[in-house]
Amino acid sequence: MVERQSPLEPEFHVGSHGNFEHGVEILLTETRPGSIVQLAAWPGEEKRLIAAIHTVTGLALPDGAGGGVSDGVKSVFGFAPGKFTVADDAEGLAAAFAKAVTPEIGTVTDLSHGRTAIRIAGPKAEWVLAKFFAIDFALPAFPVGAGRSTAHHDVFAQIQRTGADQFDIYVFRSFARSFWKALCHASEEVGYEVQ
């Protein structure tokens, strides 16, 4: 795996921070997937693209925007009609999709070098994220595996719920440090740990 320098490094301070005298309620980390790919289907080709996603990743994606699934190594979610974000711990996902997604089906865009993946977990994860985004983060409205595409000020973010109290957030690398600092600041009130 090619090791890329994290844009978070100057602000990535491992340990407990904020008001943690009553315990840590937020865990923050950078997940560093080996591959992040965006897929887009041409109109009428969504089902074929979903089939290609299953072929390449082995993940059975539910049809429709916002649906998704994660197995802890690979994740996929729809963020708009016919558009999907796929992440894998391993490199080479874009090349695999380039073989499976023909030009008649849609497009493949490798975002591995252009995105940073941040994980927020813990009992107050929904509460902290609600400070940033006008989204209902409650489990019934935002089930495990589902994804959303949104923005906080000028920071575009794609969010996938990867556990009951866990979310992975994909942001542009150029905005990652600023967003990380804001996320840390928003977590201070309940205590957070950087891992």
Side-chain angles (χ1 to χ4, degrees):
M1 181 162 129
V2 176
E3 193 65 33
R4 294 183 294 268
Q5 181 177 358
S6 169
L8 305 180
E9 281 185 15
E11 299 298 330
F12 194 90
H13 306 293
V14 174
S16 298
H17 307 277
N19 183 17
F20 61 89
E21 66 183 63
H22 300 293
V24 172
E25 298 198 72
I26 294 292
L27 300 174
L28 298 175
T29 193
E30 180 182 10
T31 61
R32 294 187 176 223
S35 300
I36 303 171
V37 177
Q38 181 174 300
L39 306 171
W42 300 123
E45 298 297 327
E46 293 85 357
K47 299 252 189 252
R48 288 178 65 194
L49 182 60
I50 290 170
I53 291 169
H54 184 266
T55 299
V56 172
T57 66
L59 298 174
L61 181 67
D63 194 2
V69 64
S70 177
D71 68 5
V73 175
K74 298 178 196 132
S75 297
V76 59
F77 63 94
F79 64 90
K83 295 185 178 182
F84 304 89
T85 296
V86 188
D88 190 342
D89 285 354
E91 293 182 354
L93 195 59
F97 275 118
K99 294 175 186 171
V101 179
T102 64
E104 296 78 31
I105 296 173
T107 62
V108 178
T109 307
D110 188 356
L111 302 176
S112 303
H113 291 80
R115 298 287 189 275
T116 297
I118 297 169
R119 177 168 290 157
I120 179 171
K124 292 289 188 178
E126 291 178 9
W127 183 79
V128 169
L129 288 176
K131 291 181 177 185
F132 291 89
F133 307 108
I135 293 175
D136 185 352
F137 287 99
L139 196 54
F142 198 150
V144 174
R148 304 289 184 264
S149 179
T150 187
H152 171 66
H153 294 287
D154 290 330
V155 180
F156 174 72
Q158 292 179 315
I159 307 167
Q160 182 179 29
R161 182 178 221 131
T162 53
D165 291 327
Q166 179 175 287
F167 298 86
D168 289 351
I169 308 167
Y170 301 90
V171 297
F172 291 118
R173 282 180 64 86
S174 56
F175 288 111
R177 187 177 311 154
S178 173
F179 183 75
W180 175 263
K181 287 172 67 174
L183 196 57
C184 289
H185 181 68
S187 301
E188 286 178 347
E189 189 175 348
V190 294
Y192 69 97
E193 185 173 329
V194 175
Q195 297 179 329

